[in-house]
Amino acid sequence: MQHAWEIPKTVRGLNMKEKFLGVDVSSYSYEELKQNISDDIEQKKQSFIVAINPEKILQAQKDAGLLMLLNKATYQIPDGVGVLIASKLSGGKISQRVTGIDMLLTLCELASKNDKSVFLYGAKPGVADKAKDSLLEKYPNLSIAGVIDGYEKDQDYIKRSINEAKPDILFVALGSPKQEHWIVDHMKELDVSIFQGVGGSFDVISGRIKRAPVAFQRLGLEWLYRLIVEPWRIKRQIKLPTFIYKVWKNRK
Ligand code: UDP
């Protein structure tokens, strides 16, 4: 199988990426992403979707391996208002968030309409099963080829199960950057076209953790809601002003 990152960048649209502190972010809309991903599946190309937020960009400043890993992805989706602010500050054109969870739902819709299948790997035992039930309620025609929790230790079993199920799309929910490392380390051995690291999405879809009410989502205040529900996240969210300052200082 050909790897999407082996295709010349000009063909895949080099101009569709913006760089913040060395990290690429795609400026594709959901529609463009859907089109590209459908093409990737049809052409049996492997693609890797990673959600980029200020926390990951800052982490990549101290971790060259992570920086390379993030830039290796085919589609770096702008997950979070911090990235939109950075784009505005640098004269870029990213104006819409593409969140990991909405991308997952978009891909499930795409799969259910086009007879493609998905596989859920990650989260605590039982959570991905519940996420599967919720996804089937939302998309009754969706083919979910398999489910494995994120604490399964037997890597051979995981690989074998995925390859036997042959899903078109694999969602990996192991938290960041563990899931991104897992994807890059295993994608060559897996018979899968699209890989997406989805963080805590199965927890939200299964109902274990509630997503912010729509009003918060529309105002770009999902982070505030998460902070109220999971106050320990302050340690992660406090990084946003540092990120904005660094981007502002580095702007051309
Ligand atoms: N997780 C997992 N295996 C691990 C570590 C974490 O399946 O070894 C799961 C965890 O249960 C949770 C998700 O990974 O469902 C991490 O969610 P979080 O919201 O912290 O993701 P992040 O914000 O790091 O992307």
Side-chain angles (χ1 to χ4, degrees):
M1 196 182 262
Q2 191 172 21
H3 291 262
W5 64 65
E6 288 162 4
I7 312 280
K9 279 200 169 166
T10 43
V11 177
R12 297 193 67 84
L14 184 61
N15 58 344
M16 296 308 283
K17 299 220 175 177
E18 296 180 14
K19 232 182 220 320
F20 306 113
L21 305 177
V23 176
D24 284 338
V25 182
S26 313
S27 54
Y28 289 121
S29 64
Y30 281 107
E31 280 313 308
E32 290 164 329
L33 282 163
K34 270 194 327 201
Q35 186 57 54
N36 284 7
I37 287 164
S38 297
D39 292 348
D40 291 343
I41 297 177
E42 289 317 318
Q43 293 164 21
K44 299 211 177 307
K45 278 185 212 149
Q46 283 196 308
S47 299
F48 159 26
I49 305 168
V50 64
I52 304 287
N53 56 34
E55 192 195 355
K56 275 188 209 170
I57 297 180
L58 286 181
Q59 216 178 333
Q61 305 306 297
K62 298 184 223 138
D63 181 345
L66 178 64
L67 180 79
M68 254 174 63
L69 185 74
L70 298 178
N71 286 345
K72 235 184 194 183
T74 326
Y75 308 105
Q76 294 87 351
I77 55 175
D79 187 354
V81 278
V83 181
L84 304 196
I85 299 172
S87 178
K88 215 178 182 81
L89 278 178
S90 338
K93 60 171 185 177
I94 301 174
S95 58
Q96 188 198 16
R97 281 191 317 152
V98 177
T99 65
I101 188 164
D102 283 331
M103 190 70 224
L104 179 158
L105 295 173
T106 300
L107 291 183
C108 286
E109 192 186 3
L110 184 89
S112 74
K113 283 188 179 153
N114 296 285
D115 250 348
K116 304 296 174 200
S117 59
V118 305
F119 194 109
L120 315 183
Y121 167 44
K124 296 207 171 100
V127 174
D129 287 303
K130 281 211 188 112
K132 174 181 171 177
D133 295 342
S134 309
L135 286 171
L136 287 176
E137 237 172 75
K138 205 169 162 65
Y139 308 108
N141 294 327
L142 178 64
S143 159
I144 301 185
V147 174
I148 298 181
D149 75 71
Y151 296 85
E152 171 59 57
K153 293 260 180 321
D154 187 344
Q155 287 295 323
D156 282 338
Y157 165 75
I158 298 171
K159 252 180 347 201
R160 215 174 338 110
S161 309
I162 296 171
N163 278 337
E164 276 168 15
K166 289 193 195 329
D168 297 289
I169 303 168
L170 174 64
F171 298 115
V172 183
L174 301 176
S176 224
K178 190 174 180 183
Q179 63 201 18
E180 283 79 25
H181 282 289
W182 189 90
I183 291 173
V184 167
D185 290 347
H186 295 87
M187 65 192 294
K188 287 212 176 189
E189 316 156 346
L190 295 173
D191 196 358
V192 173
S193 182
I194 311 295
F195 296 78
Q196 186 192 348
V198 295
S201 297
F202 297 166
D203 295 290
V204 176
I205 293 167
S206 68
R208 203 179 83 83
I209 290 176
K210 283 219 167 345
R211 192 174 181 187
V214 176
F216 279 78
Q217 292 178 34
R218 289 220 178 103
L219 291 169
L221 292 176
E222 213 157 351
W223 59 271
L224 178 62
Y225 181 82
R226 278 193 98 173
L227 187 60
I228 297 166
V229 180
E230 301 170 275
W232 55 267
R233 282 191 177 264
I234 188 76
K235 278 201 272 202
R236 296 167 63 159
Q237 295 188 348
I238 207 85
K239 293 176 181 154
L240 180 64
T242 313
F243 168 71
I244 299 294
Y245 175 69
K246 285 195 173 181
V247 171
W248 178 76
K249 238 178 84 185
N250 279 279
R251 79 199 186 284
K252 292 198 184 91

